[in-house]
Amino acid sequence: MEVFFIHLVKSSGILVLFWAVYHLFLKKETFFNSTRWFLNFGLIASIVIPFIYFKTINIIEVPTNTPTSLPTITNETAQEISVASKLLTYAFYGYLLGILFFSTKLLIQLASLYRFIKKGTLKKGNFNYVLTNENMSPFSFFNYIVYNPNIYKEKELEAILTHEQIHAKQHHSIDVIFLHIYTIVFWINPIAWLYKKEHTQNLEYITDLHTSNKLNTQKEYQYLLLKQLNGMQYSIINPFYNSLIKKRIVMLQKQKSHKKNLWKYSLILPLLAGFMMLFSFKTVTKFNHLNENTTNQYVITKQTTDNELEELKNKVQKQGNKLIYSNLKRNSSGLIKNIKIKYIVGSIKAGPTEFSKEEGIGNLYFGTNNNTVYLDIEKSTDSNLLTEQPKSKQLNDPIYVIDGKIMPKDFDVKSIDPESIYSMNVIKGESAIEKYGEKGRNGVVEIFLKDSNQINLNSSDSKNSFKISSTTIDQKEKPLYVLDGKILHEDFDINTIDPSTINHINVLKDINATKKYGDEGKNGVIEIVLETNTSEAKNKSTSIQFKKIDPNQLIILDGKEISHEEYSKIDREEIRAFIILKDGDAVEKYGEKGKNGVIIIQTKGSSKNSF
């Protein structure tokens, strides 16, 4: 019932649009035939368009333990729903009674008209002429023309019959019946009754114009229209005389409209488009529950064609996910030798990962399994990147990189909570070696967490593995560097630190960074903690363990130039800030002496203005 009333309201709205365009822009034009089809199209459009929907399905994959129960409905709310439902039911039955009333009225008129035609004298020809002695206006109904031959002169009768023949030839009775059925179904809409009146009037304009042109006696025809008779009338017929005589005479005398005004019919198009934009687009959200026994896997092989790739992309998109591929290259045999893939499920991403092999890539699998999104080559359906896999189906001792930090060899990837992972990236072959050197020969698994936490690198295997990549803090602004609790200057170069002296690195982002360091940490914070416990570190603790510097670099300590020997004896604990100037910045400030770079150091006991 609710659907019925929604359709009723939409249909009424569309009919109002057509009626408004006609009433405001077309009513005074003389394009009567065009107006007839415009008004008929309005009736059909108001019925059909509410049924048209453009549906968008949004699929959200959720774990099986996600609650999907509806909110609890209280007794008070249930009572309100029950009352509303009853009122809607009463309204629906009341509406049906209205349809029944007007349908009965139409059937009575049709029955009465049938009996009246049967009583008359039938004279067959091209049309079925029904002669009657009743004092009534001549009329036509489909191919029947009813008139009283005794009350008209010969010329008057010729004009009347010509008029009714045009009604019959142009099948105006079909329009009239359709209008009656429409007003029966949509009787509650007042615009429907006005629409019917305007449409019927336009049919008379069409017939009057054709009749006066055919008889070539427009003035006499207008006098004939004024000779209105009283008598029996039926609303379902096309009577020669009716209450619109004055308007019909005015339209006969009206000058013909210019063809350039035909553009006015197109005014309905943007109105219909706007209506459909508001009411014909529906978004349906479907929840796809994942469980441990459910997988969703796709495969791309070296033989996959371009068309098959597009079909696969569309298939993934229909499920509410995204498959993005680029850098597609094929060898001389037409096999895929290079492709870059990114697979996105909701907010979880796998890739982008580039796969390359001259003789053709291996089978590339991607999808979801155990609530995990994966993207890999030679990956079996019942495995994922966070579980043990057969040797033939996994990387041969790859290195793991968490938020830009290389993990020790004994690192257990299963210790990571899958829910904390933002995205994963697998790098193989030349790309891995180019980025990570020989350590990446067996492949690299890059894992990016939603919220980075401290990761200790205390094992001996982690030495010399420190690397800060652009993915550690993915921001355009430079992060804040903190060395053993001391905030370093924004020009500090992380690459000047000797990796062997690093104990661990802590990366802070967003609220965790600002909570600890205030506004200075808004772009992220990289905390570097140096070794302090080993005897080797203690021997080095008297100075900051930087990589070997250029002997030609200029060194400034608290505003004064010092030698490299003095630089090596600086107590690390006494340093407040450390700056490295290069290229143009160094030369601009220190002239020719700074051409090889400048190291500026400020100790705790110096003036803050020494910079």
Side-chain angles (χ1 to χ4, degrees):
M1 287 182 288
E2 184 179 354
V3 175
F4 172 80
F5 283 113
I6 291 174
H7 187 282
L8 182 67
V9 171
K10 290 182 178 180
S11 295
S12 300
I14 294 171
L15 193 72
V16 168
L17 295 180
F18 276 89
W19 180 81
V21 171
Y22 169 77
H23 199 73
L24 296 175
F25 302 102
L26 302 174
K27 190 174 182 179
K28 295 182 180 179
E29 303 295 339
T30 60
F31 307 122
F32 304 130
N33 277 309
S34 298
T35 299
R36 176 192 179 189
W37 298 116
F38 174 85
L39 294 173
N40 280 335
F41 177 68
L43 296 172
I44 296 170
S46 68
I47 296 171
V48 174
I49 288 179
F51 286 108
I52 299 175
Y53 280 103
F54 299 96
K55 187 183 293 185
T56 302
I57 299 176
N58 184 22
I59 298 177
I60 300 177
E61 294 188 336
V62 296
T64 52
N65 57 359
T66 301
T68 56
S69 58
L70 295 173
T72 303
I73 299 177
T74 62
N75 290 334
E76 184 178 350
T77 306
Q79 289 176 358
E80 291 176 358
I81 294 174
S82 177
V83 171
S85 178
K86 286 181 180 179
L87 290 175
L88 195 63
T89 302
Y90 295 150
F92 178 72
Y93 287 125
Y95 193 85
L96 290 181
L97 285 175
I99 292 176
L100 180 63
F101 170 77
F102 289 108
S103 297
T104 304
K105 185 178 178 181
L106 176 63
L107 291 173
I108 291 172
Q109 286 193 6
L110 287 171
S112 176
L113 179 61
Y114 176 76
R115 288 194 299 270
F116 181 80
I117 291 175
K118 283 292 183 181
K119 286 194 304 182
T121 303
L122 185 63
K123 181 181 178 183
K124 290 189 175 182
N126 292 332
F127 301 94
N128 295 323
Y129 296 98
V130 178
L131 308 182
T132 181
N133 293 321
E134 296 285 345
N135 184 21
M136 63 177 298
S137 298
F139 67 87
S140 62
F141 184 70
F142 289 97
N143 208 37
Y144 290 91
I145 297 175
V146 181
Y147 66 98
N148 185 343
N150 301 320
I151 58 178
Y152 299 104
K153 297 178 182 178
E154 185 178 347
K155 284 189 176 182
E156 291 177 341
L157 190 59
E158 180 185 358
I160 290 170
L161 293 179
T162 301
H163 178 96
E164 299 305 331
Q165 287 168 6
I166 291 170
H167 272 309
K169 282 181 181 179
Q170 296 193 7
H171 309 291
H172 290 175
S173 292
I174 296 176
D175 298 49
V176 174
I177 292 295
F178 184 46
L179 283 166
H180 274 77
I181 294 173
Y182 188 93
T183 50
I184 287 172
V185 177
F186 298 95
W187 63 267
I188 201 169
N189 180 14
I191 296 298
W193 298 95
L194 294 176
Y195 200 91
K196 174 187 170 186
K197 181 180 177 182
E198 301 281 9
H199 199 335
T200 305
Q201 182 176 302
N202 184 72
L203 293 177
E204 293 302 327
Y205 293 159
I206 294 173
T207 311
D208 288 340
L209 181 63
H210 283 277
T211 303
S212 62
N213 289 339
K214 191 172 183 179
L215 296 175
N216 201 22
T217 55
Q218 189 178 89
K219 192 171 183 179
E220 291 181 8
Y221 183 70
Q222 291 175 21
Y223 283 132
L224 180 60
L225 290 176
L226 291 171
K227 186 181 177 182
Q228 183 170 346
L229 296 179
N230 296 320
M232 191 185 303
Q233 292 284 346
Y234 298 96
S235 63
I236 55 175
I237 60 175
N238 297 301
F240 183 80
Y241 298 112
N242 55 41
S243 60
L244 304 172
I245 293 295
K246 183 178 179 181
K247 290 183 179 180
R248 289 167 64 183
I249 293 174
V250 170
M251 293 306 289
L252 276 173
Q253 294 175 338
K254 190 174 180 63
Q255 186 177 359
K256 190 176 181 180
S257 299
H258 199 283
K259 286 187 177 181
K260 67 179 182 180
N261 292 336
L262 285 169
W263 68 270
K264 294 180 180 180
Y265 289 100
S266 64
L267 291 173
I268 194 63
L269 298 178
L271 295 176
L272 288 179
F275 184 92
M276 294 184 73
M277 288 292 289
L278 288 173
F279 302 107
S280 297
F281 287 84
K282 181 187 292 185
T283 300
V284 178
T285 301
K286 291 186 177 180
F287 293 94
N288 183 18
H289 290 271
L290 300 175
N291 56 60
E292 295 181 357
N293 299 317
T294 301
T295 61
N296 185 16
Q297 180 170 270
Y298 308 96
V299 62
I300 296 174
T301 68
K302 57 187 176 184
Q303 291 92 0
T304 302
T305 65
D306 292 350
N307 288 336
E308 288 172 340
L309 281 172
E310 281 301 307
E311 288 175 5
L312 184 59
K313 181 180 177 180
N314 293 334
K315 184 177 180 181
V316 169
Q317 188 172 357
K318 285 179 181 178
Q319 293 186 344
N321 305 324
K322 286 185 180 180
L323 171 64
I324 303 170
Y325 66 89
S326 59
N327 296 352
L328 177 63
K329 297 178 183 177
R330 297 182 182 273
N331 57 24
S332 57
S333 302
L335 303 177
I336 297 177
K337 69 175 184 178
N338 191 90
I339 190 170
K340 189 175 184 179
I341 295 288
K342 186 177 184 180
Y343 180 55
I344 304 173
V345 178
S347 61
I348 309 299
K349 303 174 185 176
T353 304
E354 192 158 3
F355 302 90
S356 181
K357 197 174 184 181
E358 183 60 35
E359 60 269 28
I361 62 170
N363 292 341
L364 196 165
Y365 295 91
F366 63 94
T368 55
N369 185 30
N370 295 346
N371 300 340
T372 302
V373 179
Y374 64 85
L375 169 61
D376 197 13
I377 280 187
E378 303 296 348
K379 178 176 171 55
S380 60
T381 305
D382 57 354
S383 64
N384 60 67
L385 292 178
L386 297 182
T387 60
E388 293 295 330
Q389 301 179 16
K391 275 290 180 181
S392 61
K393 300 233 174 171
Q394 67 179 144
L395 295 172
N396 184 22
D397 295 328
I399 63 170
Y400 290 92
V401 181
I402 312 293
D403 282 342
K405 294 176 277 293
I406 299 175
M407 297 292 101
K409 289 183 179 180
D410 57 357
F411 173 71
D412 184 6
V413 71
K414 290 192 291 184
S415 64
I416 300 177
D417 180 6
E419 295 297 323
S420 68
I421 294 176
Y422 178 73
S423 67
M424 302 179 71
N425 190 18
V426 178
I427 308 175
K428 299 180 180 180
E430 295 296 330
S431 299
I433 296 174
E434 182 181 346
K435 188 170 183 180
Y436 292 95
E438 284 300 312
K439 291 183 179 181
R441 178 167 294 280
N442 294 324
V444 181
V445 177
E446 293 181 330
I447 301 174
F448 303 101
L449 304 179
K450 296 177 181 176
D451 184 17
S452 296
N453 293 311
Q454 178 174 305
I455 299 175
N456 290 317
L457 305 175
N458 292 323
S459 70
S460 59
D461 295 324
S462 67
K463 298 299 183 186
N464 300 317
S465 63
F466 168 64
K467 181 177 178 67
I468 296 295
S469 69
S470 61
T471 56
T472 301
I473 297 181
D474 187 16
Q475 293 181 310
K476 295 180 180 179
E477 299 294 333
K478 191 173 182 180
L480 179 69
Y481 288 99
V482 179
L483 179 63
D484 281 347
K486 302 180 183 65
I487 297 176
L488 301 179
H489 193 274
E490 60 181 8
D491 292 330
F492 173 70
D493 185 0
I494 188 69
N495 294 315
T496 60
I497 299 180
D498 183 354
S500 66
T501 65
I502 296 175
N503 177 273
H504 66 262
I505 296 169
N506 188 22
V507 179
L508 302 178
K509 299 179 183 179
D510 304 326
I511 191 170
N512 293 328
T514 55
K515 184 177 180 181
K516 188 171 182 180
Y517 292 94
D519 194 53
E520 288 182 286
K522 64 181 179 180
N523 297 321
V525 179
I526 297 177
E527 295 179 330
I528 305 170
V529 180
L530 301 180
E531 292 280 6
T532 57
N533 297 327
T534 65
S535 58
E536 181 184 0
K538 288 179 179 178
N539 292 333
K540 296 179 181 179
S541 64
T542 56
S543 64
I544 300 176
Q545 303 303 320
F546 299 109
K547 287 182 177 179
K548 188 175 181 181
I549 64 174
D550 188 338
N552 295 317
Q553 276 185 310
L554 178 65
I555 302 174
I556 304 295
L557 176 64
D558 292 338
K560 297 178 182 180
E561 182 180 342
I562 63 172
S563 66
H564 283 253
E565 184 180 353
E566 291 173 309
Y567 163 75
S568 64
K569 296 178 181 179
I570 297 174
D571 184 357
R572 174 167 61 91
E573 297 296 327
E574 292 299 319
I575 292 179
R576 172 188 290 149
F578 187 96
I579 302 175
I580 296 178
L581 298 181
K582 296 180 180 179
D583 303 325
D585 292 336
V587 174
E588 181 182 350
K589 190 166 185 178
Y590 291 96
E592 190 65 20
K593 286 184 177 182
K595 66 180 180 180
N596 296 314
V598 181
I599 297 175
I600 305 173
I601 303 169
Q602 184 188 54
T603 60
K604 294 179 180 178
S606 67
S607 169
K608 289 187 179 180
N609 295 325
S610 60
F611 270 118

